[in-house]
């Protein structure tokens, strides 16, 4: 018995020695060759400190999580997939026998990562986004007090990986510069809007947009679900809205709509990317498609026809019919039940044929319906002319006068000035997509403005954040979305995330130039503005997938 035990002991000792001897020494980078500024981080982080020792990422590098909850394993999987698509390296997650350098993902409420978001902009859904990345010789750690902060930190890690389009075959070791990054958002609300009503976009197309938004730390996707040309969301109690109202789109092509199951799947996908969906049902104007399906809504005794043009301001619902409010209640309740975010957007813009007292009555009633559904109402800036109180949010797009009324009422304001932030404005005269009613918005115009002071008289504590809307009169697929969104969208992401003193056009445009490598790897159909010296891949591109 004693003999067997000691023999076993020797065997174990031998095995340990053998395994230790077999282990390759960890790769080290003595003197780093790259630094953070060469990488083109967008949005620029709050604080960066560099040191000379880089972190080598190679085939033995592994990902370690601070716990093994489903959430952490999902984060590790997400990180591994993105690294694989970028570099071809297939990193193990929490391996039994770790060998190489480690990427550690940590949720540590005790770390120095407490919520730092500007208190005025606190939003229970989007706080806790601060994170810290420490890059050492053998450990690269991303730590945050909250899951959302960890996710934002992982996006920064993706941008820290050198941009070469090489695969592992010609680049076995990927050097990540050494140092630390401490980061937190300037605004808790960092939005993009997609108009899926004028032209319909499939779930796959919206998910692809979500992938790209998440990379730049956008955390809100506002979906403009209904308009004169189409109703795009299934409402079980009112099935003709989609059966009839979803049939067409601008130009007369086949429209489409999301079933409730598809919408829920989209919301879940957005959630996984820490993006909150804000559903919009635009009313009382912009409602022709719904009135074709249910003609009692418009109150004029006429059955309208499906509309495939692009004029605005000709439709309204009847503010003096209780049945209309019953209908709106059903719509708001069904959509709210599927939307975990805190907001419901009731539109309210360009109701040119709604009489003023009717408009006020309608917005007042619908705001209450939205609140009853447990949501905070948001409306385009015209809603401030109704009896809105400080709990509703105004989205400033055109009228400084309305912004001033919002301030008087103590309402929070989302900044989407069309002259600066509308992604559907053409870059210049000969741009193939977009409109120019608010002017041309080249990439520098889109970036060079200060949200903190843009809307005269709106104090910074009332600014909830920034949103870049993309209206779809002229676009109908992902390529066309991307042509208008990129390269302007990263600029809006930086205006929303980074503090004013960090932002500088001349420096930013160098970082933007490097995005072409990300765009090319991911086949993003960006507009190659001549204002930017786009960087081409330093090595022969061998794209292996999207990251
Ligand atoms: C808008 O552009 N009509 C809000």
């Amino acid at each position: 018995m004693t003999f067997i035990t000691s023999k076993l002991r020797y065997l174990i000792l031998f095995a340990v020695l053998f395994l230790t001897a077999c282990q390759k020494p960890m790769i080290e980078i003595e003197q780093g060759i790259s630094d953070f500024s060469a990488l083109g981080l967008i949005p620029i982080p709050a604080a960066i400190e560099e040191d000379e020792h880089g972190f080598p990422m190679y085939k033995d590098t592994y990902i370690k999580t601070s716990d093994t909850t489903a959430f952490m394993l999902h984060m590790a999987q997400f990180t591994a997939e993105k690294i694989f698509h970028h570099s071809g390296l297939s990193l193990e997650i929490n391996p039994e026998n770790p060998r190489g350098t480690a990427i550690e993902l940590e949720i540590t409420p005790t770390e120095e990562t407490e919520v730092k978001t500007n208190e005025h902009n606190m939003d229970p859904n989007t706080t806790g986004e601060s994170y810290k990345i420490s890059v050492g010789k053998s450990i690269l750690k991303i730590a945050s007090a909250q899951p959302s902060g960890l996710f934002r930190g992982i996006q920064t890690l993706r941008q820290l990986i050198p941009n070469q389009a090489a695969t592992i075959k010609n680049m076995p070791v990927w050097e990540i510069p050494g140092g630390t990054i401490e980061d937190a958002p300037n605004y808790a609300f960092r939005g993009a809007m997609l108009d899926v009503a004028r032209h319909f976009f499939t779930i796959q197309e919206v998910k692809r947009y979500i992938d790209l938004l998440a990379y730049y730390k956008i955390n809100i996707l506002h979906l403009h679900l209904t308009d004169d040309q189409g109703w795009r969301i299934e409402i079980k109690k009112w099935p003709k809205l989609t059966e009839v109202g979803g049939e067409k789109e601008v130009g007369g092509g086949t429209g489409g709509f999301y079933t409730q199951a598809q919408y829920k799947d989209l919301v879940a996908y957005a959630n996984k990317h820490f993006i909150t969906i804000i559903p919009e049902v635009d009313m009382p104007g912009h409602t022709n498609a719904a009135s074709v399906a249910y003609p009692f809504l418009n109150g004029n005794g006429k059955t309208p026809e499906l509309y495939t043009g692009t004029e605005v301001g000709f439709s309204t619902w009847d503010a003096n019919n209780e049945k209309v409010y019953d209908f709106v209640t059903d719509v708001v309740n069904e959509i709210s039940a599927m939307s975990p975010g805190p907001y419901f957007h009731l539109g309210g813009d360009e109701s040119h044929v709604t009489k003023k007292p009717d408009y006020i009555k309608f917005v007042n009633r619908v705001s209450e319906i939205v609140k009853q559904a447990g949501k905070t109402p948001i409306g385009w800036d015209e809603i401030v002319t109704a009896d809105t109180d400080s709990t509703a949010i105004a989205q400033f797009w055109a009228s400084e006068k309305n912004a001033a009324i919002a301030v008087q009422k103590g309402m929070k304001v989302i900044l989407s000035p069309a002259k600066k932030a509308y992604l559907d404005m053409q870059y210049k005269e000969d741009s193939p997509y977009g409109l120019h009613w608010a002017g041309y918005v080249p990439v520098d115009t889109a970036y060079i403005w200060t949200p903190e002071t843009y809307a005269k008289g709106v104090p910074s504590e009332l600014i909830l954040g920034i949103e870049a809307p993309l209206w779809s009169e002229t676009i109908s697929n992902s390529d066309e979305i991307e042509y208008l969104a990129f390269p302007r969208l990263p600029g809006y992401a930086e205006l929303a995330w980074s503090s004013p003193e960090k932002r500088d056009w001349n420096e930013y445009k160098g970082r933007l130039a490097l995005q072409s490598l990300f765009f090319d790897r991911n086949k993003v159909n960006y507009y190659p503005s001549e204002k930017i010296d786009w960087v081409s891949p330093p090595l022969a591109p061998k794209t292996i997938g999207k990251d």
Side-chain angles (χ1 to χ4, degrees):
M1 189 65 178
T2 321
F3 172 73
I4 294 172
T5 313
S6 65
K7 200 172 164 191
L8 197 62
R9 209 181 294 140
Y10 276 116
L11 253 171
I12 291 167
L13 186 62
F14 178 75
V16 168
L17 285 173
F18 178 78
L19 282 173
T20 313
C22 284
Q23 234 175 28
K24 283 195 220 104
M26 220 182 254
I27 291 178
E28 274 192 19
I29 290 170
E30 275 310 321
Q31 185 77 50
I33 50 156
S34 68
D35 56 38
F36 291 126
S37 63
L39 296 168
L41 300 179
I42 297 179
I44 190 80
I48 297 177
E49 260 182 50
E50 304 195 332
D51 77 30
E52 64 197 27
H53 298 292
F55 172 87
M57 190 171 76
Y58 53 103
K59 70 176 180 39
D60 291 340
T61 301
Y62 62 97
I63 298 173
K64 185 176 156 196
T65 57
S66 58
D67 62 62
T68 53
T69 53
F71 166 75
M72 279 308 245
L73 295 178
H74 164 67
M75 286 296 98
Q77 197 63 41
F78 177 93
T79 307
E81 273 168 26
K82 298 302 177 190
I83 289 173
F84 175 74
H85 287 309
H86 188 145
S87 66
L89 294 169
S90 185
L91 306 189
E92 264 192 88
I93 296 168
N94 295 328
E96 285 197 356
N97 298 306
R99 282 145 54 94
T101 54
I103 294 173
E104 296 185 356
L105 307 181
E106 223 175 79
I107 302 260
T108 47
T110 51
E111 279 272 336
E112 272 181 45
T113 46
E114 82 281 4
V115 176
K116 287 187 195 143
T117 310
N118 178 347
E119 282 207 357
H120 299 303
N121 302 319
M122 282 295 202
D123 171 339
N125 242 36
T126 52
T127 49
E129 293 184 283
S130 57
Y131 66 89
K132 178 173 177 180
I133 299 184
S134 323
V135 188
K137 279 169 144 183
S138 57
I139 295 176
L140 183 159
K141 183 158 95 175
I142 310 177
S144 175
Q146 300 285 339
S148 51
L150 181 66
F151 185 76
R152 304 299 170 219
I154 290 169
Q155 307 320 306
T156 302
L157 167 63
R158 294 171 66 189
Q159 298 194 2
L160 292 178
I161 302 168
N163 255 315
Q164 281 89 341
T167 69
I168 191 169
K169 287 197 190 68
N170 51 17
M171 182 128 154
V173 180
W174 294 69
E175 181 201 332
I176 296 179
T180 54
I181 292 178
E182 286 194 76
D183 203 7
N186 194 32
Y187 290 111
F189 188 112
R190 305 180 305 279
M193 186 213 82
L194 184 62
D195 170 11
V196 299
R198 290 195 174 79
H199 279 100
F200 179 66
F201 297 93
T202 64
I203 293 285
Q204 279 318 312
E205 287 170 326
V206 182
K207 284 184 177 175
R208 176 164 164 90
Y209 199 38
I210 287 174
D211 290 342
L212 296 169
L213 298 177
Y215 185 74
Y216 292 106
K217 301 188 177 73
I218 295 285
N219 66 350
I220 298 284
L221 176 60
H222 163 188
L223 288 178
H224 183 77
L225 290 165
T226 67
D227 212 302
D228 288 320
Q229 298 85 348
W231 184 284
R232 309 298 182 203
I233 178 77
E234 178 188 24
I235 303 296
K236 301 263 190 209
K237 285 197 177 153
W238 301 89
K240 282 203 269 180
L241 285 171
T242 43
E243 281 165 21
V244 175
E247 218 177 277
K248 296 228 166 95
E249 61 180 9
V250 163
T254 307
F257 65 91
Y258 309 129
T259 64
Q260 292 205 351
Q262 286 173 324
Y263 179 80
K264 284 182 200 162
D265 171 58
L266 189 66
V267 167
Y269 189 84
N271 256 353
K272 280 194 163 177
H273 293 76
F274 287 84
I275 288 179
T276 300
I277 299 271
I278 298 181
E280 178 186 352
V281 172
D282 202 352
M283 49 190 157
H286 291 274
T287 45
N288 182 74
S291 297
V292 177
Y294 294 104
F296 77 89
L297 288 167
N298 66 19
N300 65 16
K302 296 188 188 133
T303 301
E305 299 200 336
L306 288 172
Y307 179 68
T308 59
T310 57
E311 292 300 313
V312 298
F314 63 88
S315 57
T316 187
W317 281 344
D318 182 359
N320 297 305
N321 179 354
E322 279 307 306
K323 256 187 87 183
V324 172
Y325 296 111
D326 292 343
F327 164 86
V328 171
T329 304
D330 291 341
V331 168
V332 170
N333 286 348
E334 286 197 27
I335 296 175
S336 296
M338 301 186 287
S339 308
Y343 307 113
F344 189 100
H345 201 303
L346 56 87
D349 58 323
E350 298 174 314
S351 287
H352 300 324
V353 296
T354 317
K355 292 194 184 81
K356 193 70 202 168
D358 289 349
Y359 179 83
I360 292 171
K361 178 175 175 182
F362 186 89
V363 171
N364 292 350
R365 287 287 299 270
V366 174
S367 298
E368 283 312 309
I369 292 169
V370 167
K371 287 183 203 169
Q372 283 297 315
K375 304 295 181 191
T376 298
I378 305 180
W380 298 105
D381 60 48
E382 290 95 322
I383 66 155
V384 304
T385 61
D387 302 329
T388 45
D389 61 25
S390 64
T391 58
I393 295 166
Q395 185 163 7
F396 168 64
W397 66 283
S399 166
E400 297 254 356
K401 204 168 136 208
N402 288 342
I405 298 172
V407 172
Q408 275 166 21
K409 293 184 171 183
M411 294 168 72
K412 291 253 165 92
V413 176
I414 298 164
L415 294 174
S416 301
K419 288 179 202 164
K420 286 288 185 185
Y422 266 30
L423 283 166
D424 57 305
M425 290 301 108
Q426 285 169 293
Y427 294 99
K428 55 182 193 174
E429 289 81 350
D430 60 357
S431 293
Y433 305 109
L435 304 170
H436 55 262
W437 57 262
Y440 297 100
V441 182
V443 62
D444 49 352
T445 301
Y447 182 85
I448 303 172
W449 59 290
T450 308
E452 285 73 11
T453 53
Y454 182 80
K456 287 180 198 62
V458 179
S460 66
E461 64 269 22
L462 286 185
I463 299 173
L464 184 64
I466 298 162
E467 182 184 293
L470 179 48
W471 301 97
S472 65
E473 283 92 340
T474 66
I475 57 170
S476 61
N477 58 45
S478 281
D479 273 355
E480 293 163 8
I481 288 177
E482 288 162 22
Y483 190 87
L484 287 176
F486 298 95
R488 289 180 287 200
L489 187 108
Y492 300 128
E494 177 148 309
L495 290 174
W497 179 279
S498 309
S499 54
E501 58 279 8
K502 286 271 158 190
R503 305 192 305 249
D504 171 69
W505 165 251
N506 285 319
E507 186 271 333
Y508 170 76
K509 71 181 183 189
R511 285 183 284 120
L512 185 59
L514 284 151
Q515 306 306 304
S516 54
L517 303 171
F518 171 75
F519 296 154
D520 288 346
R521 280 201 313 277
N522 292 282
K523 301 187 168 50
V524 175
N525 183 42
Y526 70 106
Y527 163 62
S529 165
E530 69 280 4
K531 292 178 185 253
I532 304 297
D533 293 328
W534 298 105
V535 176
S536 22
L539 299 173
K542 265 199 203 168
T543 308
I544 54 170
K546 71 184 184 79
D547 62 84

